[in-house]
Amino acid sequence: MDVTYPEVGATREGPLPPGYHHVTRRVRLTAGFAEAVEALAQWRPQRGAGLSVRTEAERAALGVEFASGIGVGPVRLWVPCRIVWIVDRPTEYGFGFGTLPGHVETGEEAFLLSADAAGDVWFEARAFSRPALWWVKLGAPMARLVQARVTDRYAAAMRSL
């Protein structure tokens, strides 16, 4: 199954592509780099934001497919994604995931950790997306609000380490 957009990897390098809604957040963490890497690799931003995660993988890795679910109890909207890039260096770790058929939007989201020369650890989330379904297009302002709120919660989950 292929991702639903052509700009694969655009959250990793260069500007986010035109024609999409863009979201970015960057926060300094109090956790050390190794602790933050473990949390990110084990889906902490998603779970800390109140999302459920379905995957057979214990850790994020290139090609891993997963679904995030938002909702209450058994009433959840599940959105399928695949990790399309990963970086794992001594001072940089992260991955980008793209939407798969069945997702309510089309686009890519990335989580990236970096440690600077002063030893500060930074978490950045960035995304580009647009509605994939007619009813999401109708509710685009609400969808953008939900996306911004969830992105804030990703950052808060990582800051709480």
Side-chain angles (χ1 to χ4, degrees), residues 9-28:
T11 56
R12 175 70 184 119
E13 308 250 350
L16 298 178
Y20 293 88
H21 175 66
H22 299 165
V23 175
T24 59
R25 298 288 185 282
R26 186 171 190 260
V27 296
R28 188 168 55 88

Side-chain angles (χ1 to χ4, degrees), residues 1 3 18 26 56 61 74 76 85 95 104 112 118 130 132 142 160:
M1 194 173 349
V3 294
R26 186 171 190 260
E56 295 192 10
R76 291 200 178 270
W85 64 261
F95 55 88
V104 298
L112 190 62
R130 61 181 169 219
M142 180 58 79
S160 72

Side-chain angles (χ1 to χ4, degrees), residues 51-52 67-72 74-79 102 104 133 135-136:
L51 303 176
S52 295
S68 295
I70 189 168
V72 178
V75 180
R76 291 200 178 270
L77 175 64
W78 291 96
V79 292
V104 298
L133 303 170
W135 55 271
V136 179

Side-chain angles (χ1 to χ4, degrees), residues 12 26 32-34 36-37 40 87-94 112-124:
R12 175 70 184 119
R26 186 171 190 260
F33 185 73
V37 166
L40 182 55
V87 61
D88 189 358
R89 297 183 184 133
T91 60
E92 188 178 34
Y93 175 82
L112 190 62
L113 295 167
S114 59
D116 64 22
D120 290 328
V121 178
W122 296 88
F123 169 74
E124 184 174 0

